[in-house]
Amino acid sequence: MVPMELSKIIITETSDHQIIVLKERQGQRSFPIVIGLHEAWAIDRAVTTPRPLTHDLISNIIEGLNAGIVRILISDLRNNTFYAKIILQQDGSTVEIDSRPSDAIALAMQKNTPIFVAKKVLEEVCKAESEF
């Protein structure tokens, strides 16, 4: 796993596709992930909505189960789609929950949780970008 940080958020309100960029904490590699507008707002502005967004619901469930978020992992890239996991600690056990990267990253920003990417994912996206 490679420690990452949110480097940039590109919000274009006239588009359905927004971009967040994750960058290595102790390196130069970075890569973009396309997300939705509401998720981008939630990550960028910690927007409070009248009804909970998905990441708010997840946070409420985690708290209700007396669990804590250990880390977020961008775990896979298949068919140009990123996959993520929310790693929880509950009663001394580790639990991995599949998640959309946007919800996982929104949770990480909300809870100040570390973000990691699997080495194979980082190598794959950096290789693909260098080919262009």
Side-chain angles (χ1 to χ4, degrees):
M1 291 188 302
V2 179
M4 305 294 285
E5 62 188 12
L6 181 63
S7 170
K8 186 185 304 184
I9 301 174
I10 302 169
I11 297 175
T12 307
E13 294 183 11
T14 57
S15 173
D16 290 338
H17 302 292
Q18 313 308 310
I19 297 173
I20 57 174
V21 178
L22 295 180
K23 179 189 171 302
E24 281 182 294
R25 281 194 177 268
Q26 298 177 344
Q28 297 300 313
R29 296 180 292 183
S30 64
F31 63 94
I33 299 176
V34 176
I35 63 173
L37 180 60
H38 296 291
E39 291 82 3
W41 280 342
I43 291 168
D44 185 45
R45 303 176 187 154
V47 172
T48 302
T49 58
R51 294 178 30 185
L53 295 173
T54 305
H55 69 277
D56 297 318
L57 175 62
I58 294 167
S59 179
N60 292 340
I61 291 170
I62 291 168
E63 288 175 16
L65 294 172
N66 294 318
I69 304 171
V70 177
R71 68 183 168 275
I72 301 304
L73 174 64
I74 308 302
S75 57
D76 204 358
L77 175 62
R78 289 179 275 166
N79 299 320
N80 295 317
T81 300
F82 288 96
Y83 293 81
K85 294 188 181 291
I86 302 167
I87 314 301
L88 306 176
Q89 189 77 33
Q90 182 188 38
D91 298 327
S93 296
T94 300
V95 180
E96 292 186 4
I97 308 295
D98 289 328
S99 174
R100 295 186 311 174
S102 58
D103 291 324
I105 292 168
L107 270 174
M109 296 294 99
Q110 187 180 68
K111 301 292 185 185
N112 197 26
T113 303
I115 302 169
F116 293 86
V117 66
K119 286 183 182 182
K120 68 177 183 167
V121 173
L122 185 59
E123 289 168 1
E124 188 173 338
V125 294
C126 289
K127 178 184 173 193
E129 286 190 4
S130 68
E131 292 175 355
F132 287 105

